[in-house]
Amino acid sequence: GGAVRVVMTGHQKLESINIDPELLVPEDIEMLQDLIVAAVNEAVEASQKMASERLGKLTGGLSVPGLF
């Protein structure tokens, strides 16, 4: 939803995390933790998809067993 944003490279290296200041309420720490986990997982999936698409361009669409 954009409250927690994660930037990750195609090599699954975490570059940054941006948290909406309105989420920084001590009573909601568990929700914030869940949002961070979800944002990181989403960034990993997007990074893997990007890497797969780029690899597909390099291999000309050939399926290389064991890579993805």
Side-chain angles (χ1 to χ4, degrees):
V4 176
R5 296 195 62 191
V6 174
V7 176
M8 185 168 284
T9 69
H11 297 284
Q12 283 81 46
K13 179 182 176 191
L14 184 63
E15 290 193 337
S16 66
I17 297 176
N18 186 354
I19 301 170
D20 184 337
E22 291 182 15
L23 294 175
L24 301 177
V25 178
E27 295 81 27
D28 291 335
I29 194 73
E30 286 184 40
M31 179 187 69
L32 177 57
Q33 291 168 339
D34 290 343
L35 288 171
I36 291 171
V37 168
V40 170
N41 286 332
E42 192 174 305
V44 168
E45 289 175 18
S47 174
Q48 289 172 342
K49 181 180 177 188
M50 179 182 69
S52 178
E53 289 172 355
R54 287 187 179 181
L55 183 62
K57 289 178 184 176
L58 292 174
T59 63
L62 296 175
S63 178
V64 180
L67 282 181
F68 285 94

